Amino acid sequence: MAQQHFLAQFSDKPRYNTKAVAQETGVPADTFRAWERRYGVPRPQRTEGGHRLYSERDIATIRWLRDRTAEGLTISQAIALMTDGTESSLGWLNTAVDTEPHTWDRLNSRLYAALIDFDATRAEQILGEAFAIYPLEDVFLKLVQPMMIEIGEQWHSGKISVTAEHFATQFIRRKLSGLFNTYNITDGRGLVMIGCAPSEQHDLGALMIAVFLVRHGWQVVYLGSEVPMRDLIETIRQLQPDLVCMAASTTETAIQLLEVGRSVLAMASPTPAFGYGGRAFNMNPQLTNRMPGTFLGRDAQEVVDAVADILSGR
C-alpha cells in the first residue's frame, strides 16, 4: 500500500515533450532516448504523429537514474537497482517508508535525523524521494541548504557532535561532487572560476553554486576552500576567466575578500569580473558596502541569474 500511495503522486498521463523533459531533468534528450531503446526505461507514449510524450512518472524515473549515475553507478546497474530484477517499472519506490506528504519541512526533519544518526542508507532514501518529486535545484535550495544550516547551528550550540556535522557535510559533498562531475563541460557559455576566501574552510555553498552553473551551461573551474590569493592571481593569469566568484561564511573571511577583490580588479587586461557571496554577506549585508565587485545573491539560483547578467555584457 505504501508503494501504491507513493506511486500515485506521479501521474502517468503523457503530457511533456522531449525538450521539456530535458530542461526539467538536466539530462540530454539523446541520453534518455538511449536508455529507452536499450532498457525500455522510461516509457513514453507516442502522438499520432509519432512524437514522444512523457509523464510525471517518466520524469521521476529519469531524475532517479540521473542521480544514481552521478553517484558512480553505471546505467545498467542503476536500471537493475531500480527494477530490482523484475519487469515492474519504478520498483525502486519499494524503498518508500511512509505515506505522509513529502513536504519540505517533513523531508528536512527526516534527512536531518538520518544524518545525525550516521545513517547514510536512510539519507540516500530520503534524498532519492526528494529528487524523484522535485527539480534538482529545488531539492538543494529548499531541503539540503536549510538542513545544513540547521546542522551547523546545532553543532555551534553544542547540541550535536562535530563528528555528526562532519558526517553530514561529507555526505552532501559527495552528492554535489558527483553532480558536478556529471554535468561539468569543457566548453561552455563562458569561463567562471569559483573558490573560497584564503582562510575559508567551508565550501559546500561554493560547490553548490558550481553545480548550478554547470547545469546552466557555464564552464566552471572549481578551486574549493582556502584559496591563497597569490595562487589565485597566477591561475587567473593562466586561464583568463570571464568571472571570478569567491565565497565567505564568516566576517573574518569576508574581510579577506576585500584585498582579493581589489587585486583581481587591478589585474591587467583581460581583467575578469569579480563577484562574491556566502553566508557572511547574507547575515551581515552591510559588508557589501565595502566590497569591490558584485554581490551575486543570497543563494545559488540568484548567483546563476547574476552571472548571466554580468557576463551578457562582456
Side-chain angles (χ1 to χ4, degrees), residues 67-286:
D67 296 327
R68 301 295 77 76
T69 55
E71 292 164 359
L73 294 182
T74 65
I75 184 59
S76 59
Q77 290 170 331
I79 294 286
L81 179 62
M82 183 186 73
T83 60
D84 196 25
T86 71
E87 293 298 320
S88 60
S89 180
L90 290 182
W92 60 276
L93 287 174
N94 283 317
T95 60
V97 295
D98 58 50
T99 60
E100 295 296 321
H102 292 75
T103 64
W104 292 118
D105 285 346
R106 193 161 190 279
L107 286 167
N108 185 300
S109 63
R110 290 174 59 206
L111 183 59
Y112 174 89
L115 289 174
I116 65 171
D117 285 343
F118 303 93
D119 191 338
T121 300
R122 183 154 51 101
E124 291 273 10
Q125 180 183 83
I126 295 162
L127 268 186
E129 293 174 21
F131 282 131
I133 301 169
Y134 300 109
L136 182 144
E137 282 86 355
D138 284 355
V139 172
F140 280 106
L141 290 177
K142 298 179 181 180
L143 173 60
V144 173
Q145 184 170 278
M147 185 272 305
M148 288 305 300
I149 290 174
E150 181 180 2
I151 283 180
E153 291 174 347
Q154 294 296 311
W155 168 64
H156 279 295
S157 64
K159 295 180 180 178
I160 65 172
S161 67
V162 65
T163 51
E165 189 273 340
H166 284 184
F167 176 84
T169 297
Q170 295 308 315
F171 178 88
I172 299 302
R173 184 188 307 282
R174 290 195 299 273
K175 301 300 170 193
L176 289 168
S177 296
L179 290 167
F180 180 77
N181 291 333
T182 296
Y183 291 109
N184 197 22
I185 53 180
T186 57
D187 183 20
R189 299 164 62 187
L191 179 58
V192 181
M193 187 178 292
I194 301 176
C196 295
S199 297
E200 180 57 64
Q201 298 179 351
H202 300 93
D203 72 326
L204 283 189
L207 182 54
M208 189 181 302
I209 289 168
V211 170
F212 277 42
L213 286 174
V214 295
R215 274 177 52 82
H216 283 78
W218 298 99
Q219 183 183 355
V220 172
V221 172
Y222 182 67
L223 302 178
S225 62
E226 298 182 295
V227 180
M229 188 169 70
R230 179 180 298 178
D231 292 340
L232 174 68
I233 297 300
E234 180 57 36
T235 305
I236 292 171
R237 290 195 182 103
Q238 177 183 349
L239 299 182
Q240 298 184 2
D242 298 289
L243 170 67
V244 176
C245 174
M246 302 297 288
S249 68
T250 67
T251 300
E252 291 75 17
T253 55
I255 291 172
Q256 292 177 345
L257 292 185
L258 280 168
E259 185 180 359
V260 173
R262 290 167 182 160
S263 298
V264 170
L265 294 177
M267 294 181 68
S269 181
T271 307
F274 178 75
Y276 61 91
R279 185 165 169 76
F281 302 99
N282 294 348
M283 299 298 292
N284 193 1
Q286 55 265 41

